[in-house]
Amino acid sequence: MSMQSPDQASRRVARVRRVSRIMMVVSGVLAAAGPILLIPVWLSFEHFAAAMVPGLRIDSLSELDRAGGYLISLLPAGIAAWGFITLSRLFARFASGDTLGAANARLLHRFACAVLFTAPAKWLSGALLSVWLTRDAAPGEHQLILSLSSNDIAFAALGMLLMILSWVMRDAAEIADEHRQFV
Amino acid sequence: MPIIVTLDVMLARRKMRGKELADIIGMSEQNLSLLRSGKIKGVRFETLARLCAALDCQPADLLMFEPDDDVSIRSPSDT
């Protein structure tokens, strides 16, 4: 096993802090951007309908349709925003030099939950949107669309990976805490 | 904890102050204070060697074992 020299270690710590500062800002911006970007999306939903709810057939949307659709879309977007806020806090701790604190493992665990819950939230949101937007359609033309894409599965897998990493990080934090009690 | 740190006794014998010892062995006064009060989980061999060199003593002069119920060992007949 090769040991890092103190110089290499300090360069690595400096790099972690520098990148974490950038990621803290990026995560904060993404947390705010999701719910805000959904507003123009819903103002011209006709262009995005195929991407957001594949298979949905709609002619025109009322203001109430758009407002309700926006609120339903906030379900996955809100979870994602919460995840990015958590991630921003985690990067803030990394940027301050605290890389192996117990709180970091908790924050990573919350972010993993957000990633994991985003997939079913998107699935539920798509189903609710199809019902909401076709509620006034003629009898026989109401739709309930349930779609599961490879992206959703990838999100769930990524969430599980992050969840396991958060457990490993919690163990590492405990070891680091014990290590600190050695002189 | 059944391991008692007797560093204070050795410091008194050598008529040395804690701050002086901390400077000699390159340890913070805060860590030395934790060591003297026994509020630590362990001492690295490297630290122990520096302490012994600075105080001209053996590890046994700095540590003492007092059995208590916290430590359980298997008797030879269990193995």
Side-chain angles (χ1 to χ4, degrees):
Chain A
M1 197 176 96
S2 65
M3 291 286 287
Q4 280 189 328
S5 70
D7 195 37
Q8 282 176 315
S10 67
R11 272 207 302 272
R12 184 173 48 80
V13 170
R15 188 172 62 228
V16 167
R17 295 178 80 156
R18 195 171 53 245
V19 174
S20 295
R21 268 194 295 275
I22 296 167
M23 289 309 297
M24 178 185 74
V25 175
V26 170
S27 305
V29 169
L30 285 174
I36 292 171
L37 284 178
L38 274 177
I39 296 171
V41 166
W42 275 97
L43 288 175
S44 53
F45 183 72
E46 291 81 353
H47 301 297
F48 300 98
M52 287 186 72
V53 191
L56 182 68
R57 294 186 304 275
I58 48 163
D59 297 325
S60 62
L61 292 176
S62 68
E63 296 308 307
L64 182 65
D65 289 336
R66 291 180 203 278
Y70 174 73
L71 289 177
I72 293 169
S73 302
L74 275 183
L75 179 64
I79 292 173
W82 173 67
F84 279 121
I85 289 169
T86 307
L87 195 60
S88 182
R89 288 177 58 198
L90 178 62
F91 280 123
R93 294 185 72 89
F94 287 161
S96 70
D98 178 10
T99 49
L100 275 177
N104 296 6
R106 278 197 298 277
L107 288 170
L108 184 62
H109 183 262
R110 283 184 205 161
F111 178 64
C113 287
V115 174
L116 207 55
F117 294 149
T118 298
K122 270 180 68 185
W123 181 81
L124 181 64
S125 163
L128 288 173
L129 276 177
S130 64
V131 172
W132 170 253
L133 297 176
T134 60
R135 71 192 184 285
D136 292 331
E141 291 186 12
H142 294 270
Q143 294 181 55
L144 169 61
I145 297 174
L146 302 172
S147 69
L148 185 69
S149 71
S150 56
N151 273 354
D152 298 332
I153 296 167
F155 255 82
L158 179 65
M160 278 313 298
L161 173 68
L162 289 169
M163 183 73 76
I164 290 168
L165 282 177
S166 76
W167 294 335
V168 172
M169 195 173 178
R170 190 177 58 194
D171 288 345
E174 282 174 13
I175 292 168
D177 183 51
E178 191 166 303
H179 186 74
R180 274 191 287 273
Q181 295 180 55
F182 276 71
V183 293
Chain B
M1 184 69 167
I3 299 292
I4 312 291
V5 180
T6 55
L7 181 57
D8 280 339
V9 177
M10 211 58 201
L11 277 170
R13 276 192 203 156
R14 298 289 183 260
K15 295 184 174 55
M16 194 185 284
R17 298 177 65 149
K19 185 181 182 327
E20 192 184 342
L21 178 64
D23 287 342
I24 293 171
I25 64 170
M27 181 189 271
S28 68
E29 278 188 77
Q30 187 189 3
N31 272 354
L32 187 69
S33 173
L34 289 171
L35 174 61
R36 289 169 72 176
S37 58
K39 291 176 183 168
I40 50 162
K41 285 216 169 164
V43 186
R44 292 190 188 91
F45 282 160
E46 188 186 350
T47 309
L48 201 53
R50 283 185 194 159
L51 285 168
C52 290
L55 296 167
D56 188 23
C57 65
Q58 292 297 312
D61 298 324
L62 303 173
L63 302 170
M64 200 169 72
F65 176 65
E66 275 190 3
D68 67 11
D69 294 338
D70 287 348
V71 180
S72 61
I73 54 169
R74 288 188 297 181
S75 65
S77 59
D78 292 340
T79 55

